[in-house]
Amino acid sequence: MFRQTLTKTPHDVVLLSAVRTPITRAFKGGFRHSYPEELLMPVLTTALTRANIPASAINDVLIGNVLTELGFAKTGRTALNAAGFPNSTTFHTVNRQCSSSLQAITHIAHAIAVGQINVGLAGGAESMSRNYNPSRGIPRDVSPLLTGSGVKDATDCLVPMLRTSENVAARYGVSRGEQDEFAVESQRKASEAQSSGRFEGEIAPVNARRVGEDGSESWEVVNRDDGVRAGVTLEKLGKLQPVLEGGASTAGNSSQISDGASATILASRSWAESHGLKPIARFAGTQVAGCAPDEMGIGPIEALRNLYKHSGISQKDVDVFELNEAFASQSIYCIRELGIDMDKVNPNGGAIALGHPIGATGARQTATLLAELQRQDKEVGIVSMCASTGMGVASLFIRE
């Protein structure tokens, strides 16, 4: 069945481009004054340029977003029109928390597979600088029928993500030292990748807004991730205090709060070939899995197992894994439980170093994965992550 997965057919859903903005630190980084729509527009236009198609070729656009007012539905559509897309190109959004843009890719792929559309754009955008407020992590207006239900898993859906990290560490024996070691390695890999220029081919530069103390505005091109920390050591991370008393998750071994956007263009193979276009990869399926909400970080385990079963591939067939580093605790446990070769995981670092603009991360990982498969001249890659309320998502891509 694995060989069948690798076989090309006219009905395949293929990717024509995959790009992302730089990822910058929320509140402090290069996009701290930018609006999410200002981050989305450059990846929309760059994705078209890389795919070598006009905006009018796109039938539908689906963007993942988690935090923006009204679910980014109105401002996202405004950004689409401002970027030069015709009114005939439709727009909608999706929110599956941290996997939102990977879900966007999946939904657009499914629409193409059933013949609803020929070409679609899927991605994500998130300005955590403008829209993230830790005090809003737990909804204030929740039905007492839920909070008073007596069903533990119901109220656990409201548990802060940091607490789920501590739960995983405590229940599955992931020590503070292991978490710090994992974080140091993520920073090392990302620093090496950045200094050697590996990210340049996947990044769409952004002309970012700057607001001075006097309210004056200026603009500056941002073309580089600013969360990467060269020279991070185990000793330095060991000095950081846990965020929760008695815990092990720190600002150094958890994903960074970030701003960024990402985009991919997908099409049917028959449409691409009829227009003389060469795909860069094909989408080969997505699987999701649920887990206990208070240990949401373990979600990728069953999602990956489901994906192996669904696609017929085995773990040894996979050349590169992009596994989102929500927290070092859950990343370590997922890798350990599945027995994944660490040399294949996040070869250019992950969210601990690069950052995690939640609605945009899945398509960001996809852009990074496809670039790395090309660099290594490999074929099979997987993008996976956990998502709050207790879910895991995993998608399979085959480089062309």
Side-chain angles (χ1 to χ4, degrees), residues 3-151:
R3 301 319 306 177
Q4 183 178 345
T5 299
L6 297 181
T7 302
K8 299 178 182 179
T9 78
H11 306 292
D12 289 336
V13 177
V14 297
L15 286 88
L16 301 178
S17 64
V19 300
R20 66 176 181 93
T21 66
I23 307 303
T24 69
R25 296 174 296 155
F27 311 115
K28 299 178 180 179
F31 298 147
R32 63 190 179 279
H33 297 136
S34 297
Y35 293 82
E37 50 270 30
E38 293 173 348
L39 304 180
L40 179 62
M41 287 190 284
V43 294
L44 294 176
T45 54
T46 302
L48 289 174
T49 301
R50 301 277 178 88
N52 196 27
I53 61 175
S56 59
I58 303 294
N59 304 133
D60 197 12
V61 174
L62 179 53
I63 296 298
N65 182 271
V66 179
L67 300 172
T68 309
E69 183 181 13
L70 300 179
F72 200 50
K74 291 184 179 293
T75 49
R77 166 71 174 190
T78 303
L80 187 75
N81 289 2
F85 285 71
N87 290 331
S88 56
T89 300
T90 51
F91 179 91
H92 59 310
T93 62
V94 62
N95 180 354
R96 197 196 278 268
Q97 294 86 36
C98 300
S99 63
S100 294
S101 55
L102 190 60
Q103 192 62 53
I105 291 172
T106 301
H107 283 334
I108 288 293
H110 290 170
I112 293 169
V114 300
Q116 180 178 333
I117 61 175
N118 290 317
V119 190
L121 188 151
E126 206 74 69
S127 171
M128 300 185 80
S129 291
R130 287 193 173 271
N131 297 295
Y132 177 72
N133 183 339
S135 68
R136 293 193 316 216
I138 299 178
R140 296 173 183 172
D141 189 21
V142 179
S143 167
L145 294 178
L146 298 179
T147 56
S149 67
V151 179

Side-chain angles (χ1 to χ4, degrees), residues 87-294:
N87 290 331
S88 56
T89 300
T90 51
F91 179 91
H92 59 310
T93 62
V94 62
N95 180 354
R96 197 196 278 268
Q97 294 86 36
C98 300
S99 63
S100 294
S101 55
L102 190 60
Q103 192 62 53
I105 291 172
T106 301
H107 283 334
I108 288 293
H110 290 170
I112 293 169
V114 300
Q116 180 178 333
I117 61 175
N118 290 317
V119 190
L121 188 151
E126 206 74 69
S127 171
M128 300 185 80
S129 291
R130 287 193 173 271
N131 297 295
Y132 177 72
N133 183 339
S135 68
R136 293 193 316 216
I138 299 178
R140 296 173 183 172
D141 189 21
V142 179
S143 167
L145 294 178
L146 298 179
T147 56
S149 67
V151 179
K152 181 177 181 296
D153 285 350
T155 53
D156 280 350
C157 289
L158 307 178
V159 168
M161 294 300 95
L162 195 62
R163 173 54 62 191
T164 71
S165 172
E166 300 295 5
N167 289 344
V168 170
R171 293 172 190 175
Y172 301 105
V174 183
S175 70
R176 165 70 186 270
E178 289 177 293
Q179 293 177 56
D180 286 349
E181 287 174 4
F182 185 90
V184 168
E185 186 65 2
S186 181
Q187 290 283 3
R188 182 194 66 78
K189 291 187 290 186
S191 180
E192 288 183 2
Q194 187 175 67
S195 62
S196 64
R198 286 185 220 160
F199 295 131
E200 292 175 5
E202 67 196 57
I203 286 179
V206 177
N207 197 24
R209 182 186 299 272
R210 290 283 180 272
V211 180
E213 292 184 4
D214 61 355
S216 62
E217 289 192 353
S218 59
W219 300 85
E220 179 182 335
V221 174
V222 176
N223 57 14
R224 181 180 174 90
D225 303 313
D226 68 18
V228 180
R229 294 291 177 267
V232 168
T233 65
L234 199 58
E235 181 183 12
K236 290 178 181 178
L237 288 191
K239 293 178 180 179
L240 297 177
Q241 294 298 310
V243 179
L244 299 180
E245 186 176 353
S249 294
T250 71
N253 61 32
S254 305
S255 59
Q256 299 181 43
I257 300 169
S258 310
D259 305 324
S262 53
T264 63
I265 291 180
L266 300 94
S268 66
R269 184 183 297 280
S270 58
W271 186 92
E273 290 181 346
S274 71
H275 288 76
L277 302 171
K278 180 174 173 52
I280 60 172
R282 69 183 173 280
F283 170 85
T286 293
Q287 288 289 295
V288 298
C291 64
D294 72 342

